[in-house]
Amino acid sequence: MDRVQRVLEYKKMKAQLLEHVASSLGRQKVNELVPSTVLADVKLQQDETAEAANILRLKGHMPLGGISDISAHIRRAVIGGALSATELMEIASTIYGGKNLKNFLSDVIEDGAVSIPLLGVYAEKIEPLSPLEKAIKQCIDDHGNVLDSASSTLRTFRHQIRSYESGIRSKLESITKSTSSRKMLSDSIVTIRGDRYVIPVKQEYRGSFGGIVHDQSSSGATLFIEPQAIVTLNNQLTEAKAKERREIERILGELSALVTESSDELLVNLGVLAQLDFIVAKAHYAKRLKAVKPVLNERGYIHFKKARHPLLPADDVVPIDVALGDDVRSLVITGPNTGGKTVTLKTVGLLTLMAQSGLHVPADEETELAVYEHIFADIGDEQSIEQSLSTFSSHMRNIVSILEQLNANSLVLFDELGAGTDPTEGAALAISILDYAYQRGAVAVATTHYSELKGYAYNREGALNASVEFDVETLEPTYRLLVGVPGRSNAFAISRRLGLGEAIIDQAKQHIDSDSTQVEKMIAALEDNQKAARLEWEQSETVRREAESLKRDLEEKMGQLEQEKAGILQEAEERAAQAVASAKEEAEVIISELRDLQKQGFSVKEHELIEARKNLENAAPTFNKKQKQVKKKAEKARRLPEPGDEVKVLSFGQKGSVVKKVSESEYQVQMGIMKMNVETEDIQLIEPTKQQVPRPMTTVRTGESHVKPELDLRGVRYEDAMQRVEKYIDDALLAGYHQVSIIHGKGTGALRKGVKTLVSKHSRVKSARDGGMNEGGLGNTVVELR
């Protein structure tokens, strides 16, 4: 595996990953990183990277500042060692960093904008350890100095030290400034030798001050003397400093003992922070490479879509598309040197190693990779100087080792298979080796120069030809991989472009048999057809995108027209309603007058009055329902899905709910326990049914309430839901309810949080709780009114 990682440049990829770690903890994790061969483990690591990548996309960062590797400090404290102030400060800083990260992840979970169940588990494992952090920070400042406030005894000793130092400096400065003493001094300064304050005295005046000589200059002309007048003060200062040191040692010892008490929690925190630093580094690296989370399998199938080598400059790399592992398990790539064959091999191998290491891969969405038990590679000139082996022998020894370990769950990469020996024998060996790999069930990718292998895929089941494109006009490779087309020899065309005479070229052609000529013509035709197909596909893609854009514009305009139509109908209805209302008022006046006449004895039949009033009521507009349907249709035509909406995924025929908007043309939809990204065109918005949408509950007639004891908000947008809740509580109070239920569903939790917040602020709400097991659980909030 070490050799494979070396030839596929896995370590260079890890060097790029190291640029994104925040601490030595993450650096150690990256250095220890190796590909996993267990599908479940790889999927877990990929999911962790995806969660961190989603956080970076939404929040822009994850706080990892202040964290350092304190494992050595903890171990020394556990065996009874006293930690330094700097080491204790690093422990406090790491505790703070872990607590800060825990709070950040908790806020992300509470916000509900992104689902992070795996990172949430890590956050739960972090112990805040606030008492230990507080104890350390009360005694030690950010620069690793023990504070005066660490203890009253330390404060006293330091006060004494400052007092002694002030007295000593005062006396020495009076000596240096004295006119009589100045001529005896080499310089009018106060300095320190061996923690004792001294003055520089000329050699000839050494007896003038008495005291102790602590040092002399290199020439011997100056002596550094502690005058007798300050010896006592210096002694007192030394003693005070010794007491200060002992007190600091006592304080650090007590803090070290506290670290020992919390050593288990600290080590757990350290492991979690190391893992989170590593995961976030993988997410940053994925963002840098514009990488995606691959689909994984263990059946040996790989399908790269626009895959890019991560070590090549983004502007220079040419993406490749390769599908291999189901019906086709052997891919033979032919083409000129420096044409990109080896880069293709390394891209397939390195991206597979990255995926099995939990890293996202630089490719397009829906790229699928396999988790292999073994990955083998014979790439480059690995000639052994020590064993004096030829290039061919070196490669063959490595191939023999590979074939001995090969099985059905292996990926094997051969570069220039069979090269370095007689072309006929080398080609025969290459064919036999590929046949053996196929019989063992392995997936094999091989590059070659041999023309015999160009026809290999046409004669073998499960094999496919490919080549790297070469532009004869510019005499340069395009680095584009052409799957299904073998490479053809460009020697004659290149020679002609470089000026070789036609006579020589024609004579050379006579030495090539007719079969070879036919094969070359066939390959040329295949290349031309594939270029034409690619051009037509690109043109059709352009037309498709234009059609989609036109469709969206038409749908938007149709929605606007429907909306305008609904507005016109509503205006007409309002005018008609006003006219009828005016007529009703006039009719009521007339009926009133008729009743007065009836009372005065005139003959006016009661049933005729009732019939007239009924006919008047029937004159009211009857198109209100149709108008609402038109308005609803217009709204449905223009509204795009939003998080929480119920939708139908057309390609699956299954219903689900929208989790989030991934891009302008994609949404993440949850169907049962499965989440997947679905294109907008594949989604049909399901509007809430009449039973799901709560009717306005505003009136109480003849003593009977039209307000239901429950409000169903499922499928309702957040802003509309909040308005409905507020109005519903007022209606429920008017109806005399003491307890009501607000059904909001589980979903992302945003609607539930909004309902809880709103009802908690209402003055007439006594309490609110989640529903019981028979009341809908977390999808229902039970509100008691007062």
Side-chain angles (χ1 to χ4, degrees):
M1 181 58 77
D2 287 342
R3 183 181 184 280
V4 171
Q5 291 180 13
R6 182 175 67 256
V7 298
L8 293 179
E9 300 177 296
Y10 182 75
K11 293 182 179 179
K12 290 183 181 179
M13 180 277 299
K14 289 207 302 185
Q16 288 187 342
L17 178 58
L18 280 172
E19 297 174 13
H20 300 284
V21 298
S23 68
S24 58
L25 296 170
R27 177 173 294 275
Q28 183 178 351
K29 282 286 184 181
V30 172
N31 289 332
E32 295 171 352
L33 178 63
V34 292
S36 172
T37 59
V38 181
L39 179 62
D41 292 344
V42 175
K43 284 185 174 180
L44 176 64
Q45 294 169 26
Q46 287 285 352
D47 289 341
E48 290 175 345
T49 306
E51 288 185 10
N54 285 335
I55 292 177
L56 294 182
R57 180 172 54 82
L58 293 175
K59 302 294 184 180
H61 78 292
M62 278 181 66
L64 287 164
I67 297 170
S68 58
D69 187 359
I70 56 173
S71 55
H73 309 342
I74 299 170
R75 287 194 296 269
R76 192 162 70 257
V78 169
I79 63 175
L83 303 179
S84 68
T86 302
E87 291 170 335
L88 287 165
M89 198 61 232
E90 288 178 356
I91 291 175
S93 177
T94 301
I95 293 173
Y96 174 79
K99 184 167 60 176
N100 191 30
L101 182 57
K102 179 185 180 75
N103 293 336
F104 174 84
L105 293 175
S106 298
D107 290 342
V108 170
I109 295 171
E110 185 69 22
D111 181 64
V114 58
S115 176
I116 53 168
L118 300 176
L119 299 189
V121 172
Y122 284 119
E124 290 177 1
K125 292 180 181 179
I126 298 175
E127 289 291 335
L129 297 177
S130 297
L132 177 58
E133 178 197 0
K134 183 178 180 181
I136 294 173
K137 289 188 174 180
Q138 282 179 342
C139 298
I140 303 170
D141 65 17
D142 294 337
H143 303 290
N145 301 314
V146 180
L147 298 168
D148 292 358
S149 58
S151 75
S152 58
T153 304
L154 182 61
R155 185 185 296 109
T156 299
F157 290 153
R158 287 186 171 172
H159 178 73
Q160 291 176 355
I161 290 171
R162 287 190 286 269
S163 177
Y164 292 145
E165 287 178 339
S166 177
I168 292 170
R169 283 189 172 277
S170 179
K171 286 192 176 185
L172 290 178
E173 286 174 359
S174 66
I175 294 174
T176 58
K177 292 177 182 179
S178 171
T179 306
S180 58
S181 301
R182 193 172 299 169
K183 65 178 181 178
M184 303 178 190
L185 302 176
S186 299
D187 200 354
S188 298
I189 60 171
V190 176
T191 185
I192 296 175
R193 288 294 185 275
D195 290 335
R196 310 283 287 193
Y197 283 89
V198 296
I199 55 177
V201 180
K202 295 177 180 177
Q203 172 69 30
E204 57 268 29
Y205 297 107
R206 65 177 298 170
S208 301
F209 296 95
I212 304 168
V213 177
H214 287 280
D215 198 4
Q216 67 178 8
S217 64
S218 57
S219 64
T222 300
L223 302 176
F224 295 94
I225 298 176
E226 178 185 356
Q228 187 63 44
I230 66 163
V231 170
T232 301
L233 283 174
N234 259 336
N235 289 339
Q236 292 173 335
L237 176 60
T238 300
E239 184 179 354
K241 286 184 176 180
K243 291 179 180 178
E244 178 198 29
R245 284 193 298 272
R246 287 194 294 271
E247 179 62 13
I248 288 175
E249 289 173 359
R250 185 192 67 78
I251 293 169
L252 296 180
E254 289 183 354
L255 293 175
S256 299
L258 293 178
V259 171
T260 301
E261 293 175 4
S262 301
S263 59
D264 291 341
E265 293 86 348
L266 284 169
L267 289 173
V268 170
N269 283 3
L270 207 60
V272 172
L273 293 175
Q275 188 65 21
L276 287 173
D277 187 6
F278 171 56
I279 293 171
V280 174
K282 291 194 294 180
H284 277 294
Y285 190 43
K287 182 178 180 181
R288 166 180 166 179
L289 297 179
K290 297 180 181 178
V292 300
K293 175 186 170 184
V295 180
L296 297 171
N297 67 78
E298 55 182 352
R299 69 180 192 277
Y301 176 72
I302 56 177
H303 186 186
F304 289 103
K305 294 187 175 182
K306 298 290 185 292
R308 309 173 296 277
H309 197 289
L311 302 182
L312 295 177
D315 296 335
D316 299 337
V317 65
V318 177
I320 64 169
D321 293 275
V322 177
L324 195 63
D326 277 346
D327 297 332
V328 177
R329 301 190 72 83
S330 300
L331 184 69
V332 180
I333 306 173
T334 52
N337 285 333
T338 70
K341 301 194 305 295
T342 303
V343 171
T344 299
L345 275 187
K346 289 187 174 181
T347 301
V348 172
L350 181 55
L351 266 59
T352 301
L353 290 177
M354 289 176 65
Q356 293 187 208
S357 301
L359 295 166
H360 288 184
V361 295
D364 280 3
E365 293 285 352
E366 297 182 2
T367 288
E368 185 166 0
L369 295 177
V371 175
Y372 294 103
E373 181 182 352
H374 301 294
I375 299 176
F376 303 107
D378 181 63
I379 299 175
D381 186 4
E382 295 291 327
Q383 182 171 345
S384 173
I385 298 175
E386 295 83 3
Q387 297 179 347
S388 300
L389 295 174
S390 68
T391 301
F392 176 76
S393 300
S394 175
H395 279 293
M396 194 50 60
R397 173 163 291 185
N398 186 41
I399 290 171
V400 169
S401 175
I402 291 173
L403 297 180
E404 289 175 349
Q405 304 173 66
L406 208 61
N407 63 17
N409 195 13
S410 300
L411 171 67
V412 58
L413 309 171
F414 295 116
D415 190 25
E416 298 300 343
L417 184 59
T421 187
D422 176 76
T424 304
E425 293 181 353
L429 277 173
I431 292 172
S432 296
I433 291 169
L434 288 174
D435 282 344
Y436 181 81
Y438 179 77
Q439 291 165 7
R440 297 295 296 269
V443 174
V445 183
T447 68
T448 182
H449 277 303
Y450 295 138
S451 59
E452 289 84 352
L453 266 71
K454 294 178 183 178
Y456 175 80
Y458 295 110
N459 303 321
R460 297 295 193 281
E461 181 183 356
L464 184 67
N465 272 318
S467 60
V468 288
E469 192 176 52
F470 187 86
D471 192 332
V472 180
E473 297 299 322
T474 62
L475 301 183
E476 291 181 353
T478 65
Y479 302 103
R480 184 177 289 111
L481 184 69
L482 305 176
V483 178
V485 180
R488 62 190 177 99
S489 173
N490 296 295
F492 293 152
I494 294 172
S495 299
R496 182 178 292 109
R497 289 280 298 168
L498 294 176
L500 189 64
E502 285 293 334
I504 298 174
I505 294 174
D506 290 341
Q507 186 175 1
K509 287 182 178 179
Q510 294 176 7
H511 296 290
I512 299 178
D513 58 43
S514 60
D515 290 342
S516 298
T517 304
Q518 287 296 106
V519 168
E520 290 297 324
K521 289 181 179 179
M522 178 191 68
I523 292 172
L526 284 172
E527 285 186 354
D528 292 340
N529 291 337
Q530 189 168 65
K531 286 180 181 178
R534 185 169 66 246
L535 180 61
E536 290 178 3
W537 179 84
E538 290 173 352
Q539 291 173 346
S540 66
E541 276 294 296
T542 302
V543 173
R544 184 184 64 82
R545 286 193 292 268
E546 291 175 352
E548 287 180 350
S549 177
L550 181 61
K551 179 186 175 185
R552 285 194 295 269
D553 292 343
L554 289 174
E555 287 177 346
E556 185 177 349
K557 288 179 181 178
M558 182 64 72
Q560 291 174 355
L561 289 173
E562 293 287 354
Q563 192 172 5
E564 290 174 5
K565 181 179 178 182
I568 293 171
L569 288 173
Q570 183 177 359
E571 185 179 352
E573 182 184 10
E574 289 174 355
R575 287 200 303 267
Q578 290 174 0
V580 172
S582 177
K584 278 185 177 181
E585 291 178 1
E586 294 178 5
E588 287 293 338
V589 171
I590 295 171
I591 290 172
S592 177
E593 292 175 353
L594 289 173
R595 288 190 184 280
D596 291 339
L597 291 173
Q598 187 183 42
K599 291 176 181 178
Q600 294 174 11
F602 289 94
S603 176
V604 181
K605 296 180 180 180
E606 183 66 26
H607 72 276
E608 292 177 351
L609 293 176
I610 295 172
E611 185 68 24
R613 177 174 288 170
K614 183 177 180 182
N615 291 335
L616 185 62
E617 289 176 352
N618 290 338
T622 59
F623 53 85
N624 185 44
K625 182 176 181 181
K626 182 180 290 187
Q627 174 201 347
K628 288 182 179 179
Q629 291 175 345
V630 171
K631 186 175 180 182
K632 182 177 180 182
K633 184 177 180 182
E635 183 179 355
K636 182 176 180 181
R638 63 181 174 82
R639 190 165 80 82
L640 293 174
E642 294 182 1
D645 283 348
E646 187 178 8
V647 297
K648 181 178 181 180
V649 180
L650 301 177
S651 59
F652 286 85
Q654 296 290 326
K655 292 183 179 180
S657 60
V658 177
V659 178
K660 63 179 180 180
K661 185 176 183 180
V662 178
S663 66
E664 291 299 321
S665 61
E666 250 187 0
Y667 289 81
Q668 187 180 81
V669 178
Q670 180 157 0
M671 295 181 289
I673 63 171
M674 180 177 66
K675 288 183 181 178
M676 65 183 299
N677 292 348
V678 183
E679 292 184 356
T680 309
E681 291 79 7
D682 198 20
I683 294 176
Q684 179 181 340
L685 187 64
I686 299 176
E687 293 294 321
T689 63
K690 291 181 180 180
Q691 287 76 18
Q692 291 174 317
V693 180
R695 293 176 299 172
M697 307 173 194
T698 57
T699 60
V700 178
R701 298 177 183 173
T702 63
E704 294 182 0
S705 171
H706 289 265
V707 183
K708 291 184 178 180
E710 64 183 28
L711 173 63
D712 193 339
L713 299 176
R714 289 174 294 183
V716 181
R717 289 185 294 179
Y718 183 88
E719 294 79 4
D720 295 340
M722 295 302 101
Q723 294 177 2
R724 292 188 181 185
V725 170
E726 191 169 3
K727 188 174 185 306
Y728 173 69
I729 292 176
D730 294 338
D731 293 341
L733 288 166
L734 288 173
Y737 287 136
H738 297 291
Q739 177 176 299
V740 294
S741 295
I742 300 177
I743 303 170
H744 41 67
K746 298 177 182 179
T748 62
L751 193 56
R752 173 176 173 266
K753 182 180 177 182
V755 170
K756 295 278 190 185
T757 303
L758 193 150
V759 300
S760 66
K761 295 179 180 179
H762 200 288
S763 60
R764 297 296 299 277
V765 172
K766 183 177 180 181
S767 66
R769 61 177 176 82
D770 293 329
M773 292 190 63
N774 298 324
E775 296 177 315
L778 295 177
N780 178 27
T781 296
V782 180
V783 181
E784 290 190 24
L785 304 174
R786 54 187 171 193

